[in-house]
């Protein structure tokens, strides 16, 4: 059994918007609070998507409201919190939080802190110069945290190449809330009814924001090829700004873009096949685990730890290869006609290896050791 500390555990993160790292932090902090531990979350921005859930679990939340507040003022607030509350451990999530958390810990002499990496390779040409500068600075500071966690092995190797030299690397995979992601035909039928999708129309879906990392151009090119050969099929694209994708009105009847949604389990249950087409930057793709927990067959590009996560329970294809993607989708649709797709073995694999309760326990053990 993990013993609790009278001193709080502090998590620092860039934002609490809908995203994989943010969801994972919400689950970890909430679990720690529900077991009686004093937990504080510091968000550099606002309450975002997960703020309400975090506070409902009894977590103390501090939102610094950047960029309305300057970098230096926010840094001083974090320093003050660490100095006055004297946490048992500080964990920062994502680059900018790593920088601010490290500076605050160094200013106060607090030595028990770690970074939590959530990506693998980064194409810095797609991001602001300030992000590249932050990462270069972090490489110089990487000897100071007690250890650096990564939710994917590919990320460890990528950051070694960037010059990261911590005292210790720790692989810490994501976990999945299996009470939130589960097979349910009735939920899937409600989604079909919402979008007037015929019962016999196969649905190929993804959950990914409209961002260069997710490579929607390749996905849409493959979708058009699939629809040309199988006009009955439907694509369900879920995520922030997917409703802004460049499609004709005719295409939108078969390529359904929902924008941001909260009912992801229901949407996954409506699908027959799940695809992830990211071109770079993925670490440990949460959406693949969630799709497997529902029993879906998955096709993913070879990014981050996708190959290790799927572990034979899905297909891995080259990045930015629309022809291979469309060919694999069409192959799965043929299997669908023979009723060979959804499988309880996929869910059991997630249950045995990535139950959120096990992963939460590992985080608490690390932070309280």
């Amino acid at each position: 059994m993990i013993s609790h500390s009278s001193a709080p555990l502090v998590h620092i993160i860039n934002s609490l918007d809908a995203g994989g790292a943010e969801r994972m932090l919400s689950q970890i902090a909430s679990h720690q609070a529900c077991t009686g531990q004093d937990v504080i979350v510091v968000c550099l921005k606002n309450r975002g998507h997960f703020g309400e859930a975090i506070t409902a679990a009894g977590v103390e939340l501090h939102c610094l409201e950047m960029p309305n507040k300057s970098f230096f003022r926010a840094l001083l607030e974090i320093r003050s919190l660490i100095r006055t509350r004297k946490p048992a451990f500080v964990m920062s999530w994502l680059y900018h939080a790593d920088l601010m958390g490290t500076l605050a810990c160094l200013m106060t002499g607090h030595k028990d802190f770690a970074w939590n990496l959530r990506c693998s390779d980064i194409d810095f040409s797609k991001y602001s110069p300030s992000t590249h500068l932050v990462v270069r600075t972090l490489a110089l500071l990487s000897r100071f945290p007690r250890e650096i966690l990564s939710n994917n092995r590919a990320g460890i190797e990528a950051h070694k190449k960037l010059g990261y030299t911590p005292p210790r690397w720790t692989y810490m995979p994501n976990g999945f809330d299996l009470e939130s992601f589960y097979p349910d035909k009735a939920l899937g039928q409600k989604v079909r009814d919402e979008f007037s999708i015929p019962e016999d129309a196969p649905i190929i879906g993804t959950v990914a924001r409209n961002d260069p990392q997710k490579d929607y151009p390749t996905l849409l090119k493959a979708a058009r090829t699939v629809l040309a050969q199988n006009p009955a099929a439907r694509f369900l694209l879920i995520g922030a700004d997917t409703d802004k994708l460049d499609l004709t009105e005719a295409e939108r009847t078969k390529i359904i873009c929902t924008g941001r949604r909260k009912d992801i389990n229901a949407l996954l249950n409506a699908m027959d096949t799940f695809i992830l087409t990211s071109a770079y930057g993925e670490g440990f793709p949460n959406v693949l685990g969630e799709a497997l927990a529902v029993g879906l067959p998955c096709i993913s590009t070879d990014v981050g730890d996708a190959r290790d996560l799927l572990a034979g329970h899905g297909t891995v294809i080259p990045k930015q290869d629309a022809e291979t993607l469309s060919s694999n989708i069409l192959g799965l649709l043929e299997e669908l006609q023979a009723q060979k797709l959804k499988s309880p073995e996929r869910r059991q694999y997630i249950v045995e290896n990535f139950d959120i309760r096990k992963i939460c326990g590992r985080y608490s053990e690390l932070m309280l050791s």
Side-chain angles (χ1 to χ4, degrees), residues 237-286:
L237 312 184
I238 304 146
D241 296 327
T242 53
D243 48 336
K244 298 178 183 177
L245 288 167
D246 187 15
L247 298 169
T248 67
E249 287 302 314
E251 287 177 328
R252 288 187 182 279
T253 63
K254 296 188 176 183
I255 303 176
I256 301 163
C257 303
T258 71
R260 181 176 290 164
R261 296 274 295 234
K262 293 185 178 181
D263 54 337
I264 303 301
N265 187 50
L267 292 157
L268 288 173
N269 271 283
M271 299 176 191
D272 297 292
T273 302
F274 186 87
I275 56 176
L276 180 69
T277 59
S278 295
Y280 59 87
E282 292 287 357
F284 184 106
N286 281 333

Side-chain angles (χ1 to χ4, degrees), residues 58-317:
V59 175
E60 182 179 331
L61 177 61
H62 295 258
C63 297
L64 303 184
E65 303 293 342
M66 294 178 71
N68 296 332
K69 189 174 294 180
S70 72
F71 174 90
F72 293 103
R73 185 177 172 190
L75 175 60
L76 291 177
E77 290 193 19
I78 299 174
R79 182 193 68 172
S80 176
L81 185 145
I82 293 173
R83 177 173 291 165
T84 57
R85 302 296 291 275
K86 296 179 172 54
F89 202 87
V90 175
M91 181 170 292
S92 54
W93 300 61
L94 308 175
Y95 294 135
H96 291 80
D98 290 340
L99 178 60
M100 297 194 75
T102 300
L103 293 176
C105 285
L106 293 177
M107 291 165 73
T108 58
H110 186 83
K111 296 181 179 180
D112 289 324
F113 68 99
W115 298 352
N116 199 327
L117 296 175
R118 314 300 295 177
C119 64
S120 54
D121 58 317
I122 287 289
D123 183 352
F124 288 107
S125 68
K126 306 293 185 182
Y127 297 89
S128 68
S130 65
T131 297
H132 194 190
L133 177 60
V134 167
V135 174
R136 290 173 59 188
T137 303
L138 288 171
L140 299 174
L141 295 173
S142 60
R143 62 189 177 93
F144 290 108
R146 191 181 79 181
E147 58 194 293
I148 297 181
L149 284 66
S150 176
N151 69 343
N152 65 104
R153 294 183 175 89
I156 293 175
E157 297 307 314
H159 286 81
K160 284 180 179 178
K161 292 177 182 178
L162 289 171
Y164 279 49
T165 56
R168 182 168 65 195
W169 289 98
T170 299
Y171 170 62
M172 186 73 79
N174 289 351
F176 303 100
D177 180 358
L178 298 171
E179 294 181 1
S180 296
F181 294 96
Y182 53 87
D184 190 318
K185 289 184 179 179
L187 286 177
Q189 186 58 52
K190 288 181 180 179
V191 172
R192 283 183 175 269
D193 294 343
E194 176 184 353
F195 294 108
S196 302
I197 299 174
E199 183 66 30
D200 59 348
I203 299 177
I204 305 99
T206 193
V207 181
R209 67 188 182 280
N210 181 7
D211 180 276
Q213 176 188 359
K214 305 301 182 181
D215 194 15
Y216 270 106
T218 295
L219 188 156
L220 292 176
K221 184 176 181 181
R224 291 175 178 120
T225 299
V226 169
L227 290 170
Q229 298 186 46
N230 190 333
R234 297 290 186 272
F235 282 80
L236 190 58
L237 312 184
I238 304 146
D241 296 327
T242 53
D243 48 336
K244 298 178 183 177
L245 288 167
D246 187 15
L247 298 169
T248 67
E249 287 302 314
E251 287 177 328
R252 288 187 182 279
T253 63
K254 296 188 176 183
I255 303 176
I256 301 163
C257 303
T258 71
R260 181 176 290 164
R261 296 274 295 234
K262 293 185 178 181
D263 54 337
I264 303 301
N265 187 50
L267 292 157
L268 288 173
N269 271 283
M271 299 176 191
D272 297 292
T273 302
F274 186 87
I275 56 176
L276 180 69
T277 59
S278 295
Y280 59 87
E282 292 287 357
F284 184 106
N286 281 333
V287 290
L288 290 180
E290 292 162 358
L292 290 173
V294 172
L296 286 172
C298 298
I299 301 171
S300 174
T301 47
D302 195 1
V303 288
D305 276 13
R307 184 179 295 275
D308 289 343
L309 173 58
L310 290 176
H313 294 278
T315 303
V316 179
I317 64 173

